[in-house]
Amino acid sequence: MKKYLVLLLLAFGWSYMTFAVDKKEAFVEKAKSMAGHYKLVAGSNPKCSDGYLAFVGDKVEQGLHLGHDVFVGPFVDTKEQEKDYCQVAQKISFSPDSVTQVTEISRCPASAKSDESVATKYLSFKGNEVYFEIKESGFKCKYVKMAKGGSDE
């Protein structure tokens, strides 16, 4: 009985990992197809500005940026304890049309307790538009893809 339970758990874990990889691959393919110049159509912050959507250094794992101030990545989960400082953990999740990055700073020494925080970044695609948000700060940008000639598509 234990043997079957272990096999069932392994099969479930394998299928979950495969499903997560499939969602990431679908998002990466969508992001590649969405690469290009974007015009800002709405923004809650002056750092929202027109820009080019691309992977950092053309390397998928390093993340995705739009212009200079909109960035999500790197696309790996991490958890590190900084020496004499705080623990920094990052969790990335994908859907075929979006990526969510949650960064948590915790377990800080008393002298740095005010640095403890959570930041949730969300980037999504819908049609020829890109939406970006940092939930906790209210930072939001909405972009529309430009045609190659520089006018709206």
Side-chain angles (χ1 to χ4, degrees):
M1 182 68 173
K2 287 182 183 180
K3 183 178 182 179
Y4 294 112
L5 181 59
V6 168
L7 288 174
L8 181 64
L9 289 172
L10 286 173
F12 176 74
W14 181 258
S15 64
Y16 177 78
M17 287 186 332
T18 301
F19 182 66
V21 167
D22 289 345
K23 289 192 295 183
K24 179 180 179 180
E25 288 176 1
F27 172 79
V28 167
E29 289 306 310
K30 180 70 170 185
K32 286 179 180 178
S33 74
M34 296 293 288
H37 290 282
Y38 283 81
K39 179 179 180 174
L40 178 69
V41 293
S44 65
N45 189 296
K47 290 191 176 201
C48 295
S49 60
D50 298 352
Y52 193 86
L53 177 72
F55 288 102
V56 175
D58 294 325
K59 296 179 182 173
V60 170
E61 291 302 320
Q62 290 185 5
L64 196 61
H65 68 89
L66 200 161
H68 296 288
D69 295 307
V70 171
F71 172 73
V72 178
F75 292 154
V76 292
D77 292 341
T78 60
K79 190 174 197 177
E80 298 177 4
Q81 180 69 43
E82 300 288 330
K83 186 178 179 193
D84 299 324
Y85 189 57
C86 308
Q87 178 177 305
V88 179
Q90 174 179 284
K91 179 78 175 153
I92 298 282
S93 59
F94 297 91
S95 80
D97 294 321
S98 68
V99 60
T100 302
Q101 173 184 350
V102 178
T103 304
E104 180 179 7
I105 300 173
S106 62
R107 298 184 182 174
C108 296
S111 62
K113 279 292 184 193
S114 63
D115 291 347
E116 291 185 353
S117 63
V118 174
T120 307
K121 294 181 180 180
Y122 176 75
L123 185 135
S124 67
F125 305 116
K126 185 175 181 184
N128 68 339
E129 296 178 335
V130 174
Y131 300 90
F132 176 77
E133 176 181 3
I134 302 175
K135 180 181 172 184
E136 293 77 9
S137 68
F139 183 105
K140 295 180 183 180
C141 310
K142 178 180 175 183
Y143 302 89
V144 65
K145 192 169 187 179
M146 303 292 289
K148 292 188 186 225
S151 61
D152 291 344
E153 273 187 321

